[in-house]
């Protein structure tokens, strides 16, 4: 890049992918090492396939898919100066936004939750869930509702922010969420009545908004009530040294 044939001076490429010494099949029954965009192109197409498999709500949404692919690429800089690029410019006209990163793309498009037991609670009394949703679309979402069902066998303790708890379901709302903006929430449940080693599964949580055809569901999260920590107490007798009296 840049594209000069039409006077647009558009950035090219948009992203890059492995294209040197890539093992590939050849006519017949053999394999060989190939170079070029014929090798790089399948890496990008495969990244899109993985992304759509992990986040079906993006299928057919080309603008958002391209936005995620470019904004999760691993940035690379260049000193070639194509199109007036500086040595620290990203994107640039050699690598675009960088090398495609399938894992980063999938993680950006999914909703995530972490489950932690506060380290100072021994034996553990509460289980803390941290929920994170980043708007991976290229446009803003309106009337965003983040929902989480209190896991079975646990008791609701509290939730942060603009939340409402009713009938075992906690909801957080936001009037809008801009592209690449993140919505976070915390849910705390009580588990002190459960036996140590009990596995807790939180499987029903997700996000909905006016612009979404179907809600975005999160993956189930498991947590195990930790065992009681017993620290043995060791008593030591201290004998002072002689005071000079023999």
């Amino acid at each position: 890049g840049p594209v000069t044939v039409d006077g647009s001076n558009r950035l090219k490429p948009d992203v890059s992918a492995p294209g040197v010494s890539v093992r590939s099949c050849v006519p017949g029954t053999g394999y060989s090492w190939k170079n070029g965009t014929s090798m790089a192109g399948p890496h990008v197409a495969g990244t899109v396939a993985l992304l759509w498999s992990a986040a079906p709500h993006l299928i057919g949404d080309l603008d958002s898919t391209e936005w995620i692919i470019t904004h999760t690429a691993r940035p690379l800089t260049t000193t070639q100066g194509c199109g007036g690029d500086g040595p620290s410019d990203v994107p640039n006209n050699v690598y675009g936004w960088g090398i495609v990163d399938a894992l980063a793309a999938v993680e950006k498009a999914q909703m995530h939750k972490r489950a932690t037991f506060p380290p100072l609670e021994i034996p553990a009394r509460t289980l803390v869930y941290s929920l994170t949703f980043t708007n991976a679309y290229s446009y803003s979402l309106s009337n965003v509702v983040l929902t989480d069902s209190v896991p079975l066998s646990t008791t609701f303790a509290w939730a942060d922010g603009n939340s409402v708890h009713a009938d075992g379901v906690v909801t957080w709302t936001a009037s809008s969420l801009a592209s690449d903006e993140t919505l976070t929430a915390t849910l705390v449940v009580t588990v002190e009545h459960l036996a140590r080693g009990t596995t807790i599964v939180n499987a029903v949580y997700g996000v909905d908004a006016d612009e979404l055809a179907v809600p975005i569901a999160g993956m189930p999260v498991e947590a195990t009530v930790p065992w009681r920590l017993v620290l043995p107490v060791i008593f030591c007798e201290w004998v002072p040294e002689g005071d000079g009296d023999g």
Side-chain angles (χ1 to χ4, degrees):
V3 177
T4 57
V5 67
D6 59 0
S8 66
N9 212 45
R10 301 192 313 277
L11 173 80
K12 285 295 173 184
D14 298 291
V15 290
S16 302
V20 177
S21 297
V22 178
R23 186 170 170 81
S24 178
C25 58
V26 294
T29 59
Y31 290 85
S32 182
W33 302 94
K34 298 294 183 179
N35 305 317
T37 54
S38 293
M39 299 295 102
H43 281 87
V44 180
T47 300
V48 174
L50 289 171
L51 176 61
W52 283 4
S53 177
H57 57 279
L58 288 171
I59 294 176
D61 187 344
L62 300 184
D63 288 341
S64 296
T65 298
E66 291 177 0
W67 188 91
I68 292 172
I69 294 295
T70 56
H71 284 72
T72 56
R74 285 174 286 165
L76 288 176
T77 57
T78 175
T79 58
Q80 295 186 41
C82 296
D85 289 336
S88 60
D89 287 349
V90 175
N92 54 63
N93 286 287
V94 174
Y95 300 109
W97 287 90
I99 302 294
V100 292
D101 188 327
L103 178 59
V106 168
E107 289 180 340
K108 192 172 189 66
Q110 288 185 326
M111 181 180 174
H112 295 279
K113 175 191 288 184
R114 293 188 304 107
T116 58
F117 286 93
L120 300 181
E121 293 285 346
I122 301 176
R125 295 180 175 84
T126 57
L127 172 60
V128 179
Y129 288 100
S130 300
L131 301 90
T132 303
F133 170 70
T134 300
N135 179 11
Y137 291 94
S138 57
Y139 47 82
S140 296
L141 298 176
S142 56
N143 296 321
V144 181
V145 179
L146 171 60
T147 303
D148 191 5
S149 296
V150 176
L152 294 176
S153 303
T154 68
T155 304
F156 174 80
W158 61 271
D160 69 345
N162 183 24
S163 62
V164 175
H165 172 237
D167 299 326
V169 177
V170 183
T171 56
W172 295 262
T173 58
S175 58
S176 64
L177 198 65
S179 178
D180 206 30
E181 187 177 0
T182 297
L183 175 63
T184 59
T186 300
L187 168 66
V188 181
V189 297
T190 302
V191 297
E192 60 183 345
H193 57 288
L194 299 178
R196 308 305 172 205
T198 299
T199 299
I200 303 166
V201 181
N202 192 338
V204 185
Y205 65 100
V207 170
D208 201 358
D210 288 349
E211 292 77 11
L212 299 180
V214 294
I216 301 173
M219 298 294 291
V221 176
E222 291 189 0
T224 302
V225 178
W227 295 93
R228 183 187 301 270
L229 180 62
V230 178
L231 298 177
V233 179
I234 301 176
F235 293 94
C236 297
E237 181 180 1
W238 176 65
V239 179
E241 296 182 2
D243 58 3
D245 294 335

